Each structure stands twice: as structure tokens, then as C-alpha cells.
Amino acid sequence: MKILMVGQGGREHSLLWKLAQSPEKPLLYAAPGNAGMAQIATCITIGATDIVNLVDFASQEKIDLTLVGPEVPLTLGIVDAFEARGLKIFGARRDAAMIEGSKSFAKNLMRKYKIPTADYEVFDDPKKAKAHLDKVGAPIVVKADGLAAGKGAIVCPTLEAAHQAINMIMEERAFGDAGSRVVIEECLTGEEASFLAFTDGKTVLPMASSQDHKPIYDNDQGPNTGGMGAYSPAPVVTDDVHKKIMDRVMLPAVQGMAAEGYPYKGVLYAGLMIKDGEPRLLEFNARFGDPEAQPLVARMASDLVPVLEAVIDERLHEVTLEWRPEPTVCVVMASGGYPGSYEKGKVISGLDEAASVPGVVIFHAGTALKNGKVVTDGGRVLNVNGIGKDIREAIANAYQGVKKIYWEGVHYRNDIGKKALDRLAQ
Ligand code: AMP
Ligand code: GLY
């Protein structure tokens, strides 16, 4: 069996690592991949959004199954293109991926299907957006409607910051056309959690809970990033909260998408704010989270291949998922300067020593091979996962691995997993 993984981040390395352990013993390919993925797959130099060449490659190589990591190829219609050529592919179709690709589409779905979320209004005109801001006041959240690499949601503590956000998004077009429309919404408080599920459009098969750490600095300070660390399970998602998320968010969304004529297949990711045991939805994503996928995949005991196939063949009701009980903590190591500008090509040392720490698994993100050495090649560079008998041990293992790795300018947060520890200590 031949499997192609589309993407090049830590999420994609973790999924490929999991596929490599399948009893199906698949032959693995990655497009374009990274230095870590190159150890277990044949990396091909086709970018994740080069759909025409990806379809041709899959067709010529007779790839049996393709798995898509990032959102951009999904919103560009990679799944539709593969299906049109009779190729099996896992992911949301273009129309269904609007659940992530357009925040106004997602919010309107939430309103129509009574999914609990922040109150909101949608604007195409900056003057009207600002007049609305003046009416409702701060704190408030301003979001670019389209995709903005996780940076398009701006939490504004003051009215002035909200006006600036409108200027940046709608007038300076910091996110390009993604900012021709904005969603302005109520600012929610509470603790965030990520809830991911496989779905074939009918059955919703939840994964274990997880939690991301978006801001760049410790104690959630500084600008948002794609995610600086994650852990699973997230204690804030109690059994009761889990049931509410399934009943009020996941099932209505999948049923609603089908009713709207956009049947949803793939991974549905809900980013939630939980307060006093009540979950409210911040956003949907049409794919695995990064870095949430890393601890989730590390904890997944079931073979992934039959799950992907069951989603594609729309027989997910036949599948169950087993999870290892050990908590897993993923610390992201990033280039100095990220999420702003940063240098590439720094030589990374200590990878083998870190990988030999018991309970540590490392997934690469922005890495490349240069003259036989692993060098930095992106903002988020490595994901060091610690697995332990409890969250405390998982955190200790992860940081024992992290401390063995070095490159010039490396940056990571020192408090990944702390919220889970604090909650368990309550
Ligand atoms: P999003 O791209 O919608 O997930 O937003 C990115 C981050 O912005 C979230 O993870 C939250 O930390 C924050 N955020 C988004 N929407 C809200 C909201 N309505 N209230 C408070 N924080 C929010
Ligand atoms: N970690 C957040 C995301 O994948 O969107």
C-alpha cells in the first residue's frame, strides 16, 4: 500500500510516524516533507498547494491513499481534484472546508444550528464596522473572514485597538483578500480547549481532548502564533463537558453541513472556550490541529489506516478508537523572532541525545538537511513530546528532551502543560 502525506509541519510528521507503524506496512511519501519526514518517507519536491502536480504524481505512482495536513490545499479543492481522478484522499472537500476558510460562513452555520458561540456581526465596509465598534465598545474581537495562518483573530482590549485592527485588516490588507470582510464578535473568557473528531458526514468519532498554547511567551503573553505547545488529555474537558461538546457542537455541525448541501468528511476541529463547565465555540478548523495532532497521535493506540479508510468509505460507525492512558505534552521549539521575521539555516545540535531520553518522541516541523546536517527552515522548528505516567512526568520528560537541543536563537515556552497541572491540583 502506498500513502502520500501532503504538508511539511510537525502535524504531518506525527501522522506519518503513526502511519509508519501500521501493520499494513505502507510505503510512505511526503510532499514536500521535512528533514524528519525524510527519515521514514520519500520526500518529493511538490508543494502542498500545487494541486495539479500532486494529482499527477498520485496518479502516476498509483498512490492508494492521500492524507492532507494543512488547510490551504483543502480550501483550494485538493480533495475534489483527487476524487475527480478516482484517487482516494482523506480531507474535507472545498465547499466543506469553508467551515474554516470563511469565518462568516462558519458563524452563520453556528447561528442557524444553534451552536453556542460568541455573538457577532459581519461587515464588508470598514466605516460600518467602526460604527458598530463605537456602539458595542471593548473588549471585543475582530477577525479577518478568510485564512490568515492563525493570525487573523485580534482580541482587542480597547476601542482604539479595535479600530486599529479594522485599519490593519480591511484597509492595509495585512492578510490580503482574507480581510475584505470582517467578523466582529463578543470577547469570551474562560479556558480554551481543542476538540477534534473524525467524521464521515454521519458518524462523529471523537478523539481525546487536547489544549493548545497560542501566545509566544510564558503565561500567555505576547502575540498569537500557530501554537507553541499542546497536551492531551485536557482536564478542563470533563466527561460532562465532553458530552455537551458532542451534543451541542459536533453533531449539530455535521448534521447542519449535510443539510446545507456540504457533507463534511475528514477531521473536524472545534476550538472552544470553556467557562463554568459550559463550552462555547470559537472556531472550526477543517483538519488536525498543529501542534495538537502531535500529542494526540502519540497517544493513539489504534491503527490510523483503517480509520482514514472508514471515513473515506463512509462507514465510520464500524470503527472504534483506543487511546493510551499516559498524558503527553508537546513543547514547540521555534526560531528566534517567530511569529515575526526570523533567520533560517541554523545548525541544530543535540537531536539524537534528546531522542534517546526515555518517554521522548520528536517530530520535525521547519527543518531541512544541508550538507548532511539538520538545519532550521521555518518558524516552528521542532516538537518535543514527553509521555509520562501523569502530566507532571510528561512535562518533565518533554523539557528533559528540550534542554538537550540547541541552535542559535532558539525559543520555547517554559510553561507548557502548567494549566493542566494547576487544574489537577485544585
Ligand atoms: P481563532 O482564529 O478564531 O481560533 O482565534 C484565535 C485565538 O483568538 C483563539 O484561540 C482565542 O485565544 C482568541 N479568540 C478568538 N475568538 C475569541 C473570542 N470570541 N473571545 C475571546 N478570545 C477569542
Ligand atoms: N493549533 C491551532 C491550529 O492548528 O489551528
Side-chain angles (χ1 to χ4, degrees):
M1 175 179 211
K2 290 183 176 178
I3 304 184
L4 169 64
M5 177 83 232
V6 176
Q8 63 197 110
R11 161 183 54 206
E12 288 78 14
H13 188 190
S14 71
L15 290 163
L16 205 59
W17 171 87
K18 181 71 188 158
L19 293 170
Q21 294 164 38
S22 170
E24 306 271 346
K25 299 202 184 318
L27 206 55
L28 298 173
Y29 297 83
N34 58 35
M37 293 162 85
Q39 293 170 5
I40 49 175
T42 303
C43 290
I44 53 166
T45 52
I46 305 178
T49 55
D50 185 353
I51 295 174
V52 172
N53 281 309
L54 287 171
V55 182
D56 281 347
F57 173 81
S59 172
Q60 276 153 23
E61 285 294 325
K62 301 195 166 38
I63 299 290
D64 297 290
L65 174 61
T66 297
L67 172 57
V68 185
E71 60 278 15
V72 175
L74 295 171
T75 57
L76 292 175
I78 190 172
V79 171
D80 312 60
F82 271 61
E83 286 178 348
R85 291 273 281 271
L87 292 160
K88 277 201 173 193
I89 182 163
F90 177 94
R93 291 188 189 133
R94 188 176 62 185
D95 285 351
M98 271 196 304
I99 208 164
E100 173 167 6
S102 165
K103 290 199 189 287
S104 55
F105 173 88
K107 292 294 284 193
N108 291 340
L109 183 88
M110 294 173 211
R111 186 173 273 168
K112 184 161 176 187
Y113 293 93
K114 300 190 169 48
I115 295 171
T117 187
D119 279 342
Y120 71 99
E121 298 285 342
V122 180
F123 297 93
D124 295 311
D125 174 355
K127 280 201 196 72
K128 288 189 181 147
K130 287 181 183 173
H132 175 74
L133 287 174
D134 292 339
K135 200 171 73 193
V136 294
I140 192 95
V141 184
V142 178
K143 298 182 174 184
D145 185 61
L147 291 180
K151 295 170 194 153
I154 301 169
V155 180
C156 307
T158 62
L159 204 51
E160 193 191 347
H163 276 260
Q164 275 168 12
I166 296 289
N167 290 344
M168 180 183 85
I169 295 172
M170 300 193 89
E171 287 170 359
E172 294 154 27
R173 288 295 169 103
F175 309 114
D177 286 347
S180 56
R181 174 176 287 173
V182 290
V183 173
I184 296 181
E185 67 181 40
E186 176 194 2
C187 191
L188 300 179
T189 55
E191 186 172 341
E192 284 186 53
S194 304
F195 192 97
L196 283 73
F198 292 101
T199 178
D200 61 359
K202 298 183 290 272
T203 303
V204 178
L205 182 63
M207 298 187 218
S209 59
S210 56
Q211 192 175 83
D212 191 6
H213 298 64
K214 285 201 164 75
I216 183 78
Y217 301 123
D218 287 10
N219 300 315
D220 289 339
Q221 300 297 306
N224 272 347
T225 67
M228 290 302 292
Y231 58 80
S232 171
V236 66
V237 183
T238 58
D239 289 348
D240 179 55
V241 171
H242 183 286
K243 187 174 178 338
K244 286 176 182 162
I245 296 170
M246 281 296 283
D247 292 345
R248 300 179 189 171
V249 178
M250 305 305 281
L251 290 164
V254 169
Q255 286 157 9
M257 288 296 277
E260 296 296 308
Y262 309 117
Y264 191 96
K265 284 166 72 171
V267 167
L268 183 62
Y269 161 148
L272 301 145
M273 189 72 92
I274 298 158
K275 192 174 182 190
D276 302 330
E278 295 299 318
R280 287 169 85 185
L281 184 64
L282 294 175
E283 64 161 354
F284 279 125
N285 291 320
R287 50 168 173 86
F288 286 95
D290 186 344
E292 293 96 322
Q294 291 82 314
L296 283 175
V297 164
R299 292 188 61 219
M300 196 183 284
S302 311
D303 183 12
L304 181 58
V305 175
V307 184
L308 302 179
E309 288 180 324
V311 168
I312 294 171
D313 300 340
E314 297 177 22
R315 44 175 184 77
L316 191 59
H317 59 280
E318 296 173 2
V319 173
T320 52
L321 274 177
E322 301 291 332
W323 299 90
R324 298 197 175 91
E326 290 84 7
T328 300
V329 173
C330 170
V331 179
V332 171
M333 300 181 77
S335 295
Y338 172 80
S341 60
Y342 52 83
E343 290 177 23
K344 292 183 181 177
K346 307 284 180 198
V347 176
I348 302 172
S349 64
L351 271 173
D352 291 343
E353 293 91 319
S356 66
V357 174
V360 166
V361 181
I362 298 173
F363 299 125
H364 290 223
T367 66
L369 268 179
K370 196 171 162 195
N371 304 325
K373 293 195 167 119
V374 180
V375 299
T376 64
D377 195 41
R380 292 189 290 174
V381 177
L382 291 171
N383 304 262
V384 181
N385 293 268
I387 302 157
K389 64 177 188 307
D390 54 27
I391 187 88
R392 188 179 300 278
E393 191 179 277
I395 293 170
N397 287 344
Y399 281 104
Q400 228 192 314
V402 164
K403 297 251 148 56
K404 297 199 183 304
I405 297 173
Y406 176 79
W407 69 85
E408 192 197 323
V410 57
H411 169 73
Y412 54 85
R413 278 179 61 158
N414 289 288
D415 64 345
I416 304 301
K418 186 169 173 294
K419 281 196 199 116
L421 264 188
D422 291 350
R423 186 166 281 275
L424 292 174
Q426 277 169 16

Short mmCIF file of all heavy atoms in Angstrom, two decimals, residues 151-197:
data_model
loop_
_atom_site.label_atom_id
_atom_site.label_comp_id
_atom_site.label_asym_id
_atom_site.label_seq_id
_atom_site.Cartn_x
_atom_site.Cartn_y
_atom_site.Cartn_z
N LYS A 151 -3.38 33.99 12.36
CA LYS A 151 -3.08 35.31 12.94
C LYS A 151 -4.21 36.31 12.73
O LYS A 151 -4.09 37.48 13.08
CB LYS A 151 -1.79 35.86 12.32
CG LYS A 151 -0.59 35.00 12.71
CD LYS A 151 0.66 35.38 11.93
CE LYS A 151 1.72 34.29 12.10
NZ LYS A 151 2.63 34.21 10.98
N GLY A 152 -5.32 35.87 12.15
CA GLY A 152 -6.38 36.78 11.73
C GLY A 152 -7.39 37.14 12.80
O GLY A 152 -8.29 37.94 12.54
N ALA A 153 -7.25 36.58 14.01
CA ALA A 153 -8.20 36.92 15.09
C ALA A 153 -7.48 37.84 16.07
O ALA A 153 -6.45 37.47 16.61
CB ALA A 153 -8.65 35.66 15.81
N ILE A 154 -8.04 39.04 16.26
CA ILE A 154 -7.36 40.01 17.13
C ILE A 154 -8.27 40.35 18.31
O ILE A 154 -9.36 40.87 18.13
CB ILE A 154 -6.97 41.26 16.33
CG1 ILE A 154 -6.05 40.79 15.18
CG2 ILE A 154 -6.25 42.28 17.21
CD1 ILE A 154 -5.77 41.81 14.15
N VAL A 155 -7.79 39.96 19.48
CA VAL A 155 -8.54 40.25 20.70
C VAL A 155 -8.16 41.66 21.12
O VAL A 155 -6.99 41.95 21.36
CB VAL A 155 -8.19 39.23 21.81
CG1 VAL A 155 -8.97 39.53 23.08
CG2 VAL A 155 -8.47 37.80 21.32
N CYS A 156 -9.16 42.57 21.16
CA CYS A 156 -8.87 44.00 21.36
C CYS A 156 -9.37 44.44 22.74
O CYS A 156 -10.58 44.53 22.96
CB CYS A 156 -9.56 44.83 20.29
SG CYS A 156 -9.16 44.27 18.62
N PRO A 157 -8.45 44.76 23.65
CA PRO A 157 -8.88 45.19 24.99
C PRO A 157 -9.50 46.58 24.98
O PRO A 157 -10.27 46.91 25.87
CB PRO A 157 -7.58 45.16 25.81
CG PRO A 157 -6.45 44.99 24.86
CD PRO A 157 -6.99 44.66 23.51
N THR A 158 -9.15 47.42 24.01
CA THR A 158 -9.68 48.79 23.98
C THR A 158 -10.32 49.07 22.61
O THR A 158 -10.03 48.39 21.61
CB THR A 158 -8.56 49.82 24.16
OG1 THR A 158 -7.64 49.66 23.06
CG2 THR A 158 -7.81 49.64 25.46
N LEU A 159 -11.14 50.11 22.58
CA LEU A 159 -11.79 50.53 21.34
C LEU A 159 -10.76 50.97 20.31
O LEU A 159 -10.88 50.71 19.12
CB LEU A 159 -12.75 51.68 21.67
CG LEU A 159 -13.91 51.92 20.74
CD1 LEU A 159 -14.70 50.64 20.50
CD2 LEU A 159 -14.82 52.99 21.34
N GLU A 160 -9.70 51.63 20.82
CA GLU A 160 -8.64 52.10 19.93
C GLU A 160 -7.97 50.92 19.22
O GLU A 160 -7.74 50.95 18.01
CB GLU A 160 -7.62 52.88 20.77
CG GLU A 160 -6.66 53.66 19.94
CD GLU A 160 -5.50 54.20 20.77
OE1 GLU A 160 -5.56 54.18 22.01
OE2 GLU A 160 -4.50 54.60 20.13
N ALA A 161 -7.69 49.86 20.00
CA ALA A 161 -7.07 48.67 19.41
C ALA A 161 -8.00 48.05 18.37
O ALA A 161 -7.55 47.56 17.32
CB ALA A 161 -6.74 47.65 20.50
N ALA A 162 -9.30 48.12 18.61
CA ALA A 162 -10.26 47.53 17.68
C ALA A 162 -10.30 48.33 16.38
O ALA A 162 -10.34 47.76 15.28
CB ALA A 162 -11.64 47.48 18.33
N HIS A 163 -10.26 49.66 16.49
CA HIS A 163 -10.20 50.50 15.28
C HIS A 163 -8.94 50.19 14.49
O HIS A 163 -8.96 50.09 13.27
CB HIS A 163 -10.25 51.99 15.65
CG HIS A 163 -11.65 52.49 15.84
ND1 HIS A 163 -12.32 53.20 14.88
CD2 HIS A 163 -12.51 52.35 16.88
CE1 HIS A 163 -13.54 53.50 15.32
NE2 HIS A 163 -13.68 52.99 16.54
N GLN A 164 -7.81 50.04 15.22
CA GLN A 164 -6.54 49.71 14.54
C GLN A 164 -6.63 48.37 13.83
O GLN A 164 -6.08 48.18 12.75
CB GLN A 164 -5.40 49.67 15.56
CG GLN A 164 -4.82 51.04 15.84
CD GLN A 164 -3.89 51.02 17.06
OE1 GLN A 164 -3.52 49.96 17.55
NE2 GLN A 164 -3.54 52.20 17.54
N ALA A 165 -7.33 47.43 14.48
CA ALA A 165 -7.47 46.09 13.86
C ALA A 165 -8.23 46.20 12.55
O ALA A 165 -7.88 45.57 11.55
CB ALA A 165 -8.16 45.14 14.83
N ILE A 166 -9.29 47.03 12.53
CA ILE A 166 -10.06 47.23 11.29
C ILE A 166 -9.16 47.85 10.22
O ILE A 166 -9.14 47.41 9.07
CB ILE A 166 -11.31 48.14 11.52
CG1 ILE A 166 -12.29 47.46 12.48
CG2 ILE A 166 -11.97 48.52 10.20
CD1 ILE A 166 -13.01 46.27 11.92
N ASN A 167 -8.38 48.87 10.63
CA ASN A 167 -7.46 49.50 9.66
C ASN A 167 -6.50 48.47 9.08
O ASN A 167 -6.30 48.40 7.87
CB ASN A 167 -6.63 50.60 10.33
CG ASN A 167 -7.48 51.80 10.68
OD1 ASN A 167 -8.59 51.95 10.19
ND2 ASN A 167 -6.95 52.66 11.56
N MET A 168 -5.90 47.68 9.97
CA MET A 168 -4.89 46.72 9.52
C MET A 168 -5.51 45.66 8.60
O MET A 168 -4.95 45.34 7.55
CB MET A 168 -4.26 46.05 10.75
CG MET A 168 -3.21 45.06 10.39
SD MET A 168 -2.56 44.24 11.85
CE MET A 168 -3.72 42.94 12.08
N ILE A 169 -6.67 45.15 8.99
CA ILE A 169 -7.26 44.04 8.22
C ILE A 169 -7.92 44.54 6.94
O ILE A 169 -7.68 44.01 5.86
CB ILE A 169 -8.30 43.27 9.09
CG1 ILE A 169 -7.61 42.59 10.27
CG2 ILE A 169 -9.05 42.24 8.25
CD1 ILE A 169 -8.57 41.96 11.28
N MET A 170 -8.76 45.60 7.06
CA MET A 170 -9.60 45.99 5.91
C MET A 170 -8.94 47.03 5.01
O MET A 170 -9.20 47.06 3.82
CB MET A 170 -10.95 46.51 6.38
CG MET A 170 -11.72 45.49 7.16
SD MET A 170 -13.45 45.93 7.41
CE MET A 170 -14.24 45.24 5.96
N GLU A 171 -8.11 47.92 5.60
CA GLU A 171 -7.56 48.99 4.78
C GLU A 171 -6.13 48.70 4.35
O GLU A 171 -5.82 48.73 3.16
CB GLU A 171 -7.73 50.33 5.48
CG GLU A 171 -9.21 50.70 5.39
CD GLU A 171 -9.64 51.88 6.21
OE1 GLU A 171 -8.81 52.45 6.92
OE2 GLU A 171 -10.84 52.23 6.15
N GLU A 172 -5.27 48.31 5.31
CA GLU A 172 -3.89 47.96 4.91
C GLU A 172 -3.82 46.56 4.32
O GLU A 172 -2.81 46.17 3.75
CB GLU A 172 -2.96 48.07 6.13
CG GLU A 172 -2.83 49.50 6.63
CD GLU A 172 -2.46 49.57 8.12
OE1 GLU A 172 -1.84 48.62 8.62
OE2 GLU A 172 -2.83 50.57 8.76
N ARG A 173 -4.87 45.80 4.47
CA ARG A 173 -4.95 44.43 3.92
C ARG A 173 -3.77 43.55 4.34
O ARG A 173 -3.10 42.93 3.50
CB ARG A 173 -5.05 44.47 2.40
CG ARG A 173 -6.39 44.97 1.89
CD ARG A 173 -7.51 44.02 2.27
NE ARG A 173 -8.81 44.61 2.00
CZ ARG A 173 -9.58 44.30 0.97
NH1 ARG A 173 -9.17 43.39 0.12
NH2 ARG A 173 -10.74 44.89 0.79
N ALA A 174 -3.50 43.55 5.68
CA ALA A 174 -2.38 42.77 6.20
C ALA A 174 -2.51 41.28 5.85
O ALA A 174 -1.51 40.57 5.78
CB ALA A 174 -2.29 42.94 7.71
N PHE A 175 -3.73 40.81 5.65
CA PHE A 175 -3.93 39.40 5.30
C PHE A 175 -4.49 39.26 3.88
O PHE A 175 -5.15 38.27 3.56
CB PHE A 175 -4.87 38.71 6.31
CG PHE A 175 -4.46 38.93 7.74
CD1 PHE A 175 -5.27 39.66 8.60
CD2 PHE A 175 -3.26 38.43 8.22
CE1 PHE A 175 -4.89 39.89 9.92
CE2 PHE A 175 -2.87 38.66 9.53
CZ PHE A 175 -3.69 39.38 10.38
N GLY A 176 -4.24 40.28 3.05
CA GLY A 176 -4.71 40.22 1.67
C GLY A 176 -6.23 40.18 1.59
O GLY A 176 -6.92 40.80 2.42
N ASP A 177 -6.74 39.44 0.62
CA ASP A 177 -8.19 39.39 0.41
C ASP A 177 -8.94 38.76 1.57
O ASP A 177 -10.16 38.93 1.68
CB ASP A 177 -8.51 38.59 -0.87
CG ASP A 177 -8.17 39.40 -2.11
OD1 ASP A 177 -7.94 40.62 -1.96
OD2 ASP A 177 -8.12 38.81 -3.20
N ALA A 178 -8.23 38.03 2.43
CA ALA A 178 -8.88 37.44 3.61
C ALA A 178 -9.52 38.53 4.46
O ALA A 178 -10.40 38.26 5.26
CB ALA A 178 -7.86 36.65 4.43
N GLY A 179 -9.07 39.78 4.26
CA GLY A 179 -9.56 40.89 5.08
C GLY A 179 -10.56 41.78 4.38
O GLY A 179 -10.84 42.88 4.84
N SER A 180 -11.17 41.33 3.28
CA SER A 180 -12.17 42.18 2.63
C SER A 180 -13.47 42.16 3.43
O SER A 180 -14.35 43.00 3.24
CB SER A 180 -12.41 41.74 1.18
OG SER A 180 -12.76 40.39 1.15
N ARG A 181 -13.58 41.19 4.33
CA ARG A 181 -14.77 41.10 5.19
C ARG A 181 -14.25 40.82 6.60
O ARG A 181 -13.23 40.14 6.75
CB ARG A 181 -15.63 39.95 4.67
CG ARG A 181 -16.81 39.60 5.53
CD ARG A 181 -17.64 38.52 4.87
NE ARG A 181 -18.37 39.03 3.73
CZ ARG A 181 -19.07 38.28 2.89
NH1 ARG A 181 -19.10 36.96 3.04
NH2 ARG A 181 -19.71 38.82 1.89
N VAL A 182 -14.94 41.34 7.61
CA VAL A 182 -14.55 41.02 8.99
C VAL A 182 -15.74 40.49 9.78
O VAL A 182 -16.90 40.80 9.47
CB VAL A 182 -13.98 42.23 9.78
CG1 VAL A 182 -12.62 42.65 9.28
CG2 VAL A 182 -14.95 43.38 9.80
N VAL A 183 -15.42 39.70 10.78
CA VAL A 183 -16.40 39.30 11.77
C VAL A 183 -16.00 40.02 13.06
O VAL A 183 -14.83 39.99 13.46
CB VAL A 183 -16.37 37.76 12.00
CG1 VAL A 183 -17.27 37.37 13.17
CG2 VAL A 183 -16.79 37.03 10.73
N ILE A 184 -16.96 40.72 13.67
CA ILE A 184 -16.70 41.37 14.96
C ILE A 184 -17.51 40.63 16.00
O ILE A 184 -18.73 40.46 15.83
CB ILE A 184 -17.11 42.86 14.91
CG1 ILE A 184 -16.23 43.59 13.88
CG2 ILE A 184 -16.96 43.50 16.30
CD1 ILE A 184 -16.53 45.07 13.76
N GLU A 185 -16.83 40.13 17.02
CA GLU A 185 -17.59 39.32 17.97
C GLU A 185 -17.25 39.61 19.42
O GLU A 185 -16.18 40.14 19.74
CB GLU A 185 -17.45 37.82 17.64
CG GLU A 185 -16.07 37.26 17.83
CD GLU A 185 -16.01 35.78 17.46
OE1 GLU A 185 -16.63 35.36 16.46
OE2 GLU A 185 -15.32 35.04 18.18
N GLU A 186 -18.20 39.21 20.24
CA GLU A 186 -18.11 39.31 21.69
C GLU A 186 -16.84 38.62 22.20
O GLU A 186 -16.47 37.56 21.68
CB GLU A 186 -19.36 38.57 22.20
CG GLU A 186 -19.53 38.39 23.63
CD GLU A 186 -20.65 37.33 23.89
OE1 GLU A 186 -21.22 36.72 22.95
OE2 GLU A 186 -20.91 37.11 25.07
N CYS A 187 -16.20 39.22 23.17
CA CYS A 187 -14.99 38.63 23.73
C CYS A 187 -15.39 37.65 24.83
O CYS A 187 -16.02 38.02 25.81
CB CYS A 187 -14.11 39.74 24.30
SG CYS A 187 -12.49 39.17 24.74
N LEU A 188 -15.00 36.39 24.66
CA LEU A 188 -15.34 35.37 25.64
C LEU A 188 -14.18 35.16 26.61
O LEU A 188 -13.02 35.36 26.25
CB LEU A 188 -15.64 34.04 24.94
CG LEU A 188 -16.79 34.04 23.94
CD1 LEU A 188 -16.94 32.65 23.32
CD2 LEU A 188 -18.09 34.47 24.61
N THR A 189 -14.51 34.75 27.82
CA THR A 189 -13.45 34.42 28.78
C THR A 189 -13.63 32.97 29.22
O THR A 189 -14.70 32.39 29.05
CB THR A 189 -13.50 35.33 30.01
OG1 THR A 189 -14.81 35.24 30.58
CG2 THR A 189 -13.18 36.77 29.66
N GLY A 190 -12.57 32.40 29.79
CA GLY A 190 -12.61 31.01 30.23
C GLY A 190 -11.32 30.32 29.86
O GLY A 190 -10.30 30.99 29.63
N GLU A 191 -11.35 29.00 29.81
CA GLU A 191 -10.15 28.24 29.43
C GLU A 191 -10.40 27.59 28.08
O GLU A 191 -11.44 26.99 27.85
CB GLU A 191 -9.86 27.18 30.51
CG GLU A 191 -8.55 26.46 30.25
CD GLU A 191 -8.15 25.54 31.40
OE1 GLU A 191 -8.65 25.70 32.53
OE2 GLU A 191 -7.33 24.63 31.15
N GLU A 192 -9.40 27.68 27.19
CA GLU A 192 -9.57 27.12 25.85
C GLU A 192 -9.24 25.64 25.81
O GLU A 192 -8.39 25.15 26.57
CB GLU A 192 -8.67 27.86 24.85
CG GLU A 192 -9.22 29.22 24.48
CD GLU A 192 -8.39 29.89 23.39
OE1 GLU A 192 -8.17 29.28 22.34
OE2 GLU A 192 -7.97 31.04 23.63
N ALA A 193 -9.90 24.91 24.92
CA ALA A 193 -9.55 23.51 24.66
C ALA A 193 -9.82 23.21 23.20
O ALA A 193 -10.60 23.92 22.54
CB ALA A 193 -10.37 22.58 25.54
N SER A 194 -9.15 22.20 22.69
CA SER A 194 -9.36 21.76 21.31
C SER A 194 -10.04 20.40 21.33
O SER A 194 -9.65 19.53 22.11
CB SER A 194 -8.02 21.64 20.58
OG SER A 194 -7.31 22.86 20.64
N PHE A 195 -11.04 20.26 20.48
CA PHE A 195 -11.79 19.01 20.43
C PHE A 195 -11.84 18.58 18.98
O PHE A 195 -12.44 19.24 18.14
CB PHE A 195 -13.20 19.25 20.98
CG PHE A 195 -13.99 18.00 21.26
CD1 PHE A 195 -14.05 17.48 22.54
CD2 PHE A 195 -14.67 17.35 20.24
CE1 PHE A 195 -14.79 16.33 22.81
CE2 PHE A 195 -15.42 16.21 20.50
CZ PHE A 195 -15.48 15.69 21.79
N LEU A 196 -11.16 17.48 18.67
CA LEU A 196 -11.07 17.02 17.29
C LEU A 196 -11.83 15.70 17.14
O LEU A 196 -11.83 14.88 18.05
CB LEU A 196 -9.61 16.77 16.89
CG LEU A 196 -8.75 18.00 16.57
CD1 LEU A 196 -8.38 18.76 17.83
CD2 LEU A 196 -7.48 17.58 15.83
N ALA A 197 -12.46 15.54 15.99
CA ALA A 197 -13.18 14.29 15.74
C ALA A 197 -13.01 13.89 14.28
O ALA A 197 -12.87 14.74 13.40
CB ALA A 197 -14.66 14.48 16.04
#
